[in-house]
């Protein structure tokens, strides 16, 4: 009967071929192979999430840029509309003021025609005309110019043999404008060509002269017989 020797452990069992089992080494290799695959999947997921966030940021940026451009365009249109309205209101106010002064300017013009624009009255009248001109008031309407119904108002009408078209033969009241805007048309007397009158040409005048010459000779010739 054998006795167990104290102080010695039992030896592990060894397989018949003498190769020890390596279960732990095989498991560690499987874990190492699975770890890179898991990291790649996680990195791919993070990249996809980042790309999605980038697309969302780009979309938001495009929308905000379009909103900013639309607001800028609306603001520019608003400024142009305000400036245009301001100019229009100013022109209307100036035109209203100058329209009220037109009778006074007519009196000044009549006084000048009659030689009554003298002394202090002349100085005041010229100052008034200067101020009106600085505000853009322009006078128009002259004798001899063709009649234009857009800027002339015919108060008198007649026929004249020496005109070839409807012509302003007298200016009863001058017209006034501010820029391209007429605030009062020129009130004029017009003359039209004589109805049925044909313009005389140089050939007809010479023919008439030649026709009159034989009659004068015949009148001066003595009678025969």
């Amino acid at each position: 009967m054998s006795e167990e020797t104290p102080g010695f452990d039992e030896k592990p069992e060894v397989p018949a071929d003498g190769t020890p089992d390596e279960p732990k080494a095989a498991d560690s290799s499987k874990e190492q192979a699975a770890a890179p695959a898991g990291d790649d999947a996680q990195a791919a997921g993070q990249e996809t999430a980042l790309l999605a966030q980038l697309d969302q940021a780009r979309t938001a940026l495009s929308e905000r840029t379009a909103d900013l451009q639309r607001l800028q365009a609306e603001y520019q249109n608003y400024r142009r509309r305000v400036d245009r309205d301001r100019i229009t209101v100013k022109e209307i106010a100036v035109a209203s003021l100058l329209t009220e002064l037109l009778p006074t300017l007519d009196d000044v013009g009549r006084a000048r025609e009659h030689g009554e624009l003298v002394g202090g009255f002349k100085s005041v009248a010229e100052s008034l005309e200067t101020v009106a001109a600085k505000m853009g008031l322009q006078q128009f309407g002259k004798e001899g110019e063709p009649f234009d119904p857009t800027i002339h108002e015919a108060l008198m009408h007649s026929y004249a043999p020496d005109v070839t078209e409807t012509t302003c033969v007298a200016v009863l009241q001058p017209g006034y404008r501010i820029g391209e805007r007429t605030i009062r048309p020129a009130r004029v007397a017009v003359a039209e060509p004589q109805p049925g009158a044909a313009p005389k040409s140089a050939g007809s005048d010479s023919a008439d002269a030649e026709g009159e010459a034989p009659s004068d000779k015949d009148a001066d010739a003595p009678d025969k017989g």
Side-chain angles (χ1 to χ4, degrees), residues 3-217:
E3 294 180 356
E4 294 180 358
T5 305
F8 292 94
D9 296 330
E10 293 182 356
K11 296 181 179 181
E13 295 181 359
V14 180
D17 56 359
T19 304
D21 294 336
E22 296 179 354
K24 293 183 180 181
D27 293 340
S28 61
S29 61
K30 290 181 180 179
E31 289 177 357
Q32 292 177 357
D39 294 341
D40 293 342
Q42 184 178 3
Q46 292 178 354
E47 183 178 0
T48 302
L50 290 175
L51 290 176
Q53 293 178 359
L54 180 60
D55 291 338
Q56 292 178 357
R58 288 175 177 174
T59 302
L61 177 61
S62 300
E63 292 176 354
R64 299 300 177 270
T65 303
D67 293 340
L68 179 60
Q69 292 175 349
R70 183 169 57 255
L71 288 175
Q72 288 179 342
E74 292 177 356
Y75 178 68
Q76 293 296 332
N77 293 333
Y78 169 76
R79 286 191 59 184
R80 284 193 291 266
R81 185 169 60 253
V82 169
D83 293 340
R84 184 172 61 250
D85 293 343
R86 185 183 297 111
I87 294 173
T88 302
V89 170
K90 180 180 178 181
E91 290 179 351
I92 292 174
V94 171
S96 299
L97 174 61
L98 294 177
T99 301
E100 296 297 329
L101 292 177
L102 293 185
T104 304
L105 295 175
D106 292 336
D107 294 337
V108 170
R110 283 190 291 267
R112 181 179 287 111
E113 291 176 358
H114 292 85
E116 299 175 355
L117 200 62
V118 294
F121 178 54
K122 179 180 179 181
S123 178
V124 172
E126 290 177 350
S127 298
L128 178 62
E129 291 175 339
T130 301
V131 172
K134 288 182 178 179
M135 297 178 69
L137 186 66
Q138 300 175 359
Q139 186 182 98
F140 66 90
K142 296 180 180 179
E143 295 182 5
E145 63 184 4
F147 176 76
D148 185 353
T150 61
I151 60 174
H152 296 136
E153 181 182 353
L155 300 182
M156 299 178 63
H157 177 270
S158 63
Y159 295 97
D162 57 344
V163 297
T164 59
E165 60 180 344
T166 305
T167 306
C168 301
V169 294
V171 178
L172 307 179
Q173 277 187 338
Y176 290 96
R177 67 165 63 96
I178 300 176
E180 299 298 328
R181 180 180 180 181
T182 300
I183 62 176
R184 191 182 76 180
R187 293 165 181 170
V188 298
V190 299
E192 292 183 349
Q194 196 73 28
K200 294 181 179 181
S201 61
S204 62
D205 293 341
S206 61
D208 292 342
E210 292 176 357
E212 292 175 356
S215 61
D216 294 339
K217 291 180 180 180

